[in-house]
Amino acid sequence: MSILLSLGAALSYGLSDFNGGLFSRRGGAWAVSLLAQLGGTALVLVVVLFDGGSPHSTDLAWAVLAGVANGFGTAFLYRGLSSGRMGVVAPVSGVGSVLVPVVVGLLTGERPGSLVLLGVLLAFPAIWLVSREPVEGPTTGSGSGLGDGVLAGLGFGTLFAALAQIPEEAGFLPLALNQLVAGGAIILVATALRQPWLPRNRYALGGLLSGVLGALATGLFQVATQQGYLTVAAVITSLYPAFTVMLAATVLREHVHRTQALGLALCAGAVVLVAAG
């Protein structure tokens, strides 16, 4: 069940990123990302009406940390992508997002089987390759996007690790708090970087759909960690770039490069190994 929930989370994240990428081209990356967080908050608040749960102050504290990490990761991911260094930022952030929760899971006593661990190890190059785009020109130095990718990966990895600390009986109120705090963090970082974050046209509203899909993905991931290992849930969920690439190839007819094709094959292999274990 944890694997199926994690695959659902990966699919939803992939759809969210694909939709967000389309609307960011005309609606502005920061405005779309902000409305995505607000749209996700609205969805989760509706769910809270039916399953508010009984969160403790510790659960809410983990939710705030997750929200700050979420907004932090999103901000630096978009800054890196806006620099045109997608081929560096995306794979680095993808690997970072799975490295942090895997380390946390192992340190807290999780001991998956040998096949699962092999799938986890296979996921690292899979995420790197499927996220990678050809980069023209030098990729070293301050303009390479490496720093932004590392910071984004730390943010998303901390998001996953923090959400995994929230128990099932806490319900979905902490998840709503996470989304709301993430929106505030995006505004703060965008303001500090002097980036426009106010929606200025109707295309920015596309972020609302991304937010709904993203909130669904985050909720599925949270439940997946409650049903199984954080190590496994984080790895499977972090394979979401594979779905984004496949959508771009089928809907937008974008070319899938050799490295991405190899990455897709490794993603499939990672899922099979984890499921078999």
Side-chain angles (χ1 to χ4, degrees):
M1 181 58 69
S2 177
I3 294 174
L4 291 176
L5 290 169
S6 300
L7 280 172
L11 173 60
S12 293
Y13 274 134
L15 286 168
S16 176
D17 282 2
F18 177 74
N19 179 81
L22 288 178
F23 284 99
S24 291
R25 295 175 181 178
R26 294 188 177 183
W30 293 94
V32 168
S33 63
L34 175 60
L35 286 179
Q37 297 298 341
L38 297 180
T41 302
L43 172 66
V44 181
L45 285 176
V46 172
V47 177
V48 167
L49 295 177
F50 299 94
D51 184 13
S54 302
H56 299 291
S57 56
T58 304
D59 303 327
L60 297 178
W62 282 117
V64 171
L65 175 61
V68 172
N70 189 359
F72 183 87
T74 301
F76 283 100
L77 176 66
Y78 274 100
R79 189 177 80 164
L81 295 179
S82 67
S83 70
R85 296 295 186 175
M86 184 179 294
V88 175
V89 178
V92 170
S93 63
V95 171
S97 69
V98 69
L99 180 61
V100 174
V102 164
V103 171
V104 170
L106 294 176
L107 290 177
T108 53
E110 293 185 359
R111 293 296 180 267
S114 56
L115 281 179
V116 175
L117 287 176
L118 183 58
V120 169
L121 292 175
L122 189 62
F124 284 99
I127 294 168
W128 176 278
L129 292 172
V130 81
S131 304
R132 187 139 181 92
E133 291 279 356
V135 178
E136 297 179 2
T139 58
T140 58
S142 59
S144 68
L146 178 62
D148 287 331
V150 170
L151 291 173
L154 288 174
F156 294 136
T158 303
L159 163 67
F160 288 159
L163 287 178
Q165 310 308 313
I166 301 174
E168 186 175 356
E169 57 268 20
F172 290 97
L173 183 58
L175 183 58
L177 181 59
N178 154 65
Q179 297 281 155
L180 188 61
V181 171
I186 287 174
I187 292 176
L188 289 176
V189 176
T191 301
L193 298 176
R194 297 181 179 179
Q195 297 293 323
W197 53 268
L198 285 173
R200 300 184 184 279
N201 57 50
R202 67 181 186 276
Y203 295 105
L205 296 176
L208 296 174
L209 177 57
S210 288
V212 169
L213 292 167
L216 175 61
T218 307
L220 289 171
F221 169 79
Q222 184 176 336
V223 177
T225 61
Q226 296 164 353
Q227 303 293 324
Y229 287 137
L230 166 63
T231 308
V232 174
V235 167
I236 299 298
T237 300
S238 294
L239 297 177
Y240 67 87
F243 290 102
T244 306
V245 170
M246 288 189 291
L247 282 168
T250 55
V251 178
L252 301 180
R253 303 297 181 185
E254 291 188 0
H255 177 63
V256 177
H257 304 284
R258 274 185 198 172
T259 54
Q260 291 177 319
L262 177 58
L264 289 173
L266 293 179
C267 284
V271 172
V272 170
L273 286 171
V274 171

